[in-house]
């Protein structure tokens, strides 16, 4: 990939994309994509397993279909961070990214800084298509989720979704940018339909109702 880094433009922006979330890792970022190889890089503490929020409707029933991939670790998030509100990238410092350009996740290198519209970087390659390249490694990533949590991906997602509902109801947006709160607002109705028991349990245990407007 051509080096499109522009430190001056990023400095003027202040790293808005990095403050919203860590960037995605591409399959091509790793030399060893085996179970042991990925365990090793995850053990370094700077990367999380996350899940793309894909939904499919089967016989009028909405179903969450998780698709796993890797992303730079966000602040206050664990190595297995399937569903949550995104927070500031843990690798962001006052002087920019902790990584050199060569070591940076390709999802970050894929962003083209804009000359005038700071905070409105645009990707060169389709981020979704790059995420889909993790398809052959779903089994390995599922095994690692089980290794870290003792739970299947589906069980861990239910736990994460219930925690997300609780955060939204309690307006626990600490470290979450307004843009991310807005994005979660679009996702919540689908999650409520897909995980009605978790939503009901949270609304029963916590006073108030879901309202994501700040």
């Amino acid at each position: 990939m051509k080096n499109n880094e522009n430190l001056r433009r990023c400095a003027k922006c202040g790293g808005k994309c990095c403050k919203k979330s860590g960037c995605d890792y591409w399959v091509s970022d790793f030399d060893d994509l085996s179970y042991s190889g990925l365990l090793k890089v995850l053990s370094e503490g700077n990367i999380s397993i996350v899940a793309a929020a894909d939904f499919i409707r089967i016989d009028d029933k909405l179903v969450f279909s998780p698709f796993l991939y890797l992303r730079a670790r966000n602040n206050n998030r664990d190595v297995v961070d399937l569903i949550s509100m995104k927070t500031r990238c843990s690798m962001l410092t006052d002087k920019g990214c902790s990584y050199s350009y060569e070591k940076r996740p390709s999802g970050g290198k894929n962003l083209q800084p804009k000359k005038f519209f700071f905070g409105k970087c645009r990707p060169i390659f389709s981020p979704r298509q790059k995420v889909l390249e993790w398809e052959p490694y779903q089994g390995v990533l599922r095994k690692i989720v089980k290794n870290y949590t003792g739970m299947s991906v589906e069980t861990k997602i239910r736990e994460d979704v219930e925690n997300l509902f609780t955060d939204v109801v309690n307006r626990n947006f600490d470290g979450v940018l307004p843009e991310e709160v807005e994005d979660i607002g679009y996702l919540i109705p689908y999650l409520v339909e897909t995980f009605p028991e978790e939503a009901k349990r949270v609304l029963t245990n916590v006073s108030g109702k879901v309202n994501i407007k700040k």
Side-chain angles (χ1 to χ4, degrees):
M1 183 190 303
K2 181 181 178 181
N3 188 330
N4 63 351
E5 186 177 47
N6 190 310
L7 298 179
R8 182 179 57 82
R9 292 180 186 175
C10 288
K12 285 187 176 181
C13 168
K16 191 172 183 179
C17 57
C18 305
K19 291 176 181 177
K20 186 176 187 293
S21 174
C23 48
D24 297 344
Y25 277 94
W26 294 359
V27 169
S28 57
D29 289 328
F30 302 97
D31 294 325
D32 186 355
L33 288 157
S34 67
Y35 176 76
S36 59
L38 291 178
L39 271 182
K40 183 177 184 299
V41 297
L42 287 167
S43 70
E44 295 171 2
N46 299 323
I47 301 175
S48 290
I49 300 177
V50 298
D54 288 338
F55 297 88
I56 56 175
R57 192 168 292 279
I58 303 175
D59 297 330
D60 293 328
K61 181 179 180 180
L62 193 65
V63 178
F64 185 97
S65 179
F67 189 91
L68 308 182
Y69 63 102
L70 301 187
R71 185 173 65 205
R73 182 83 60 88
N74 289 337
N75 285 344
N76 301 315
R77 296 296 183 256
D78 207 344
V79 64
V80 178
D81 178 28
L82 302 187
I83 299 294
S84 70
M85 284 185 281
K86 300 181 182 70
T87 60
R88 177 188 176 112
C89 178
S90 63
M91 304 308 295
L92 179 63
T93 72
D94 292 338
K95 295 182 179 180
C97 183
S98 300
Y99 291 122
S100 66
Y101 183 84
E102 291 71 23
K103 297 293 184 180
R104 195 169 302 159
S106 289
K109 292 188 286 188
N110 187 43
L111 293 176
Q112 177 71 54
K114 291 293 184 179
K115 185 174 183 179
F116 299 108
F117 300 99
F118 300 122
K120 300 293 184 181
C121 298
R122 290 290 183 267
I124 300 170
F125 299 100
S126 166
R128 178 173 176 80
Q129 289 302 315
K130 288 299 181 180
V131 165
L132 291 176
E133 291 181 5
W134 284 98
E135 196 279 332
Y137 307 99
Q138 294 302 292
V140 172
L141 293 174
R142 280 177 168 270
K143 186 177 178 181
I144 294 175
V145 169
K146 181 73 172 181
N147 176 281
Y148 269 98
T149 68
M151 292 180 274
S152 67
V153 168
E154 286 71 24
T155 300
K156 178 58 178 168
I157 284 176
R158 287 188 176 277
E159 179 183 81
D160 285 0
V161 167
E162 186 163 341
N163 289 335
L164 175 60
F165 287 157
T166 300
D167 284 340
V168 170
V169 168
N170 288 326
R171 302 177 64 82
N172 180 18
F173 302 138
D174 186 34
V176 181
L177 290 187
E179 292 85 352
E180 174 63 13
V181 175
E182 183 177 357
D183 288 346
I184 285 294
Y186 295 115
L187 181 63
I188 287 293
Y190 296 101
L191 290 176
V192 169
E193 182 179 351
T194 310
F195 300 95
E197 293 181 6
E198 286 74 15
K200 182 179 179 181
R201 188 156 51 241
V202 169
L203 291 175
T204 299
N205 294 335
V206 182
S207 61
K209 60 183 179 180
V210 176
N211 181 359
I212 61 152
K213 293 183 179 179
K214 297 193 75 173

